[in-house]
Amino acid sequence: AELRRDYRVRDAAVVPNVTGGLEIEPAVTDEPSGYLLFVGRLRIRKGVEVLLEALPAGARLLIAGDGEHRASLEGKAGPAVKFLGRCDAGRVRGLLRGAAALVVPSIYEGMPLVILEAMEAGVPVVASRVSGIPEVVEDGVTGWLVPPEDPRALAAALSEVLEDPGEARRRGEAGRRRVDERFRPMNAVTAWKQAVLGDDRPGDGAVLGEQ
């Protein structure tokens, strides 16, 4: 809609981000499971300050990522928060295995790949209702959506995750199914073919790539 309105593009189509195209071996982690996990660059628009304010009592938070805002965030964090620095894809996959939830408290976003990676791993997502996130995370089904920059709403959602692990697992499994149905490489291939070729038949990704 923005492309049509702002740039007068007549024909616009969306090809979704996907996950599962490459096998990534999860790294072994010695972190006890049950923590909340943030993954991303440490900059203001990621909303980590809101997450620190919203962190429920007794909850543990692991922060995987680095950036220009790290020193400021470390000054605001309590002993239950651990900064891991920049983590490669294998370590992120390993951390997701032990997470109670992935938290994405961004002020604005595109369509974060880490959300798809969490859903693929069966991990529920607690995220801001901004940008492309609601296209992936369905509130009450695959995770929790909260208003951006609202620590009270975020704290309530995180408390639900930690107090009702059965419900968290249910939403995590629903997220895994949603990824399989909508966000695999073949979904992007099909969307690309529909947009460019006007062809709605499932295609061969390798052949399409050669074109």
Side-chain angles (χ1 to χ4, degrees):
E2 289 177 0
L3 286 171
R4 294 189 180 102
R5 183 189 67 234
D6 298 339
Y7 298 95
R8 299 181 182 177
V9 175
R10 186 169 54 187
D11 297 318
V14 175
V15 176
N17 283 340
V18 297
T19 191
L22 297 174
E23 289 292 332
I24 298 175
E25 184 66 26
V28 177
T29 177
D30 57 1
E31 300 288 347
S33 63
Y35 46 80
L36 301 170
L37 178 65
F38 169 88
V39 179
R41 186 166 179 81
L42 302 183
R43 52 176 48 172
I44 291 176
R45 73 182 181 95
K46 293 294 186 178
V48 182
E49 298 93 339
V50 179
L51 173 55
L52 294 179
E53 184 178 347
L55 193 65
R60 291 181 295 127
L61 171 64
L62 302 186
I63 296 179
D66 210 340
E68 60 273 17
H69 210 42
R70 177 171 176 173
S72 173
L73 292 170
E74 286 180 327
K76 298 174 182 178
V81 181
K82 185 173 182 179
F83 289 80
L84 304 177
R86 186 173 180 179
C87 298
D88 63 20
R91 191 171 187 203
V92 170
R93 296 297 175 95
L95 290 168
L96 283 169
R97 284 186 165 183
L102 175 76
V103 191
V104 185
S106 301
I107 298 168
Y108 66 91
E109 270 290 356
M111 181 181 170
L113 283 171
V114 71
I115 286 182
L116 296 180
E117 293 169 2
M119 292 168 65
E120 181 182 38
V123 177
V125 178
V126 179
S128 300
R129 192 188 298 272
V130 296
S131 307
I133 291 176
E135 297 178 29
V136 186
V137 180
E138 186 175 355
D139 188 36
V141 179
T142 65
W144 286 257
L145 291 178
V146 299
E149 300 185 273
D150 187 337
R152 182 175 296 181
L154 180 57
L158 296 177
S159 294
E160 284 187 38
V161 169
L162 298 173
E163 292 170 5
D164 193 345
E167 176 62 15
R169 282 193 299 272
R170 185 189 70 77
R171 298 191 195 193
E173 287 302 316
R176 194 200 307 269
R177 292 192 297 271
R178 187 176 178 88
V179 166
D180 286 338
E181 292 167 0
R182 302 189 185 188
F183 300 105
R184 292 301 190 186
M186 192 51 65
N187 298 113
V189 170
T190 300
W192 190 91
K193 290 185 70 180
Q194 289 173 339
V196 177
L197 306 177
D199 185 353
D200 59 1
R201 295 170 299 174
D204 184 328
V207 173
L208 192 61
E210 292 170 3
Q211 294 173 346

